Amino acid sequence: MRNLSTLFTLLFMWISPLFAQQKILESAILQAESNGYSGVVLVAEDGKVLLEKAIGFRSFENRILLHSSDVFELASLSKQFTAMIVMICKEKKMLSFDDRVDKYLDIPYKGITIRQLLNHTSGLPDYQAIMDSHWDKNKVAGNPDILEYLNRYSPPMIFEPGENYEYSNTGYVLLASIAEKVSGKDFVELAEEWIFKPMGMKDTRIRTLEEKAAVKNLAAGHLKDSLGNYVNANKFHSSDYTVWLGNRKGPGRVSSTAQDLLKWDQTLYTQKLVKKETLEEAFTPAKLNDGTRSYYGFGWEVEPKSPFGKMVMHTGDNPGYKTIIVRFIEENKTIIVLNNNYHPDQMRLVEAAALSFKKW
């Protein structure tokens, strides 16, 4: 995940009037297109789309053009949905944020709270490293398998709970498993029932590999081969984990569209899912044991002061994909950029989109 402070530094470049006049979003998109960028850019204010543009290809190999309604793998953007499901569980009085994780799951790590899973201050080791070393990759692993291997091999904690911030996919696997434990329902079912269907997010799902293959407007992730040509990322060995870890729930696997993400964004200005005070916890940076503050809440990176007030955001990174949502929540300004060829121009488009708010 890109460090928030780097993006924030870029956003402050709006201060230069000359730069702001030269670096408008439309020219940035044209430049990105000429550089081979493939993806969808959506900019909105008060829920109204100011610009929505698709450039590049849904499939480079078949030369199928990309459309703004195409479905992208969101990667770690999925964590905001996992966090919301846990927040809903809390409001349904199924759990408390300060409950210990070992109250619900059999794990070899003690003293970790649900809150620390949500804000990445748990100190948990990386589950993927353990699975990569020991799992039979002819089989597809899910959350029960990950929990079993954490118990079997018990890799050491990185730090004591609450001592530091370190981004943890393991924590979000545990959150999904806790939600299943307290609700008695599969996590995929919870996401459908509690968020995607009631919010009208008709193109958003936690899809299996087979289900994604059946989506006709799925924007495939692409990487460059040895000849510099973009090919489907699934052809690379580095992408294998998306197959043999294909049943994991919590840290990723949601696929969606820019328009559905805008529906999600606007829902977060209401109390349709959780109360205002519960949601406010998601947008509040974690407090560490020594009293210092992190920059992550529940499923969101948080910057209290930006050129447009409080900013919350999240990035996603999967083989062939880069995704980002940026929300200036005090002014209801939204930037969504979904990329399917892992292109370096992604952050330049985010920067230009932020600058463009000065023009509209």
Side-chain angles (χ1 to χ4, degrees), residues 121-181:
T121 61
S122 66
L124 284 166
D126 178 23
Y127 78 88
Q128 191 169 327
I130 293 302
M131 300 299 287
D132 191 33
S133 297
H134 302 286
W135 181 253
D136 177 1
K137 296 181 180 63
N138 292 312
K139 300 186 295 183
V140 180
N143 287 27
D145 305 302
I146 293 169
L147 284 166
E148 178 191 344
Y149 272 55
L150 285 173
N151 277 293
R152 182 183 300 184
Y153 296 100
S154 298
M157 296 276 286
I158 302 170
F159 50 80
E160 289 300 308
E163 189 177 280
N164 207 342
Y165 165 91
E166 184 157 329
Y167 192 79
S168 173
N169 284 309
T170 306
Y172 273 71
V173 169
L174 300 189
L175 287 170
S177 295
I178 291 170
E180 290 185 326
K181 178 81 171 180

Side-chain angles (χ1 to χ4, degrees), residues 275-287:
K275 296 174 184 176
K276 182 179 178 181
E277 51 266 34
T278 301
L279 189 58
E280 192 58 37
E281 293 208 59
F283 302 148
T284 300
K287 189 175 183 180

Side-chain angles (χ1 to χ4, degrees), residues 242-261:
T242 61
V243 177
W244 55 266
L245 285 173
N247 287 338
R248 70 200 185 288
K249 306 165 194 172
R253 283 191 55 212
V254 175
S255 49
S256 185
T257 64
Q259 281 285 351
D260 269 9
L261 287 175

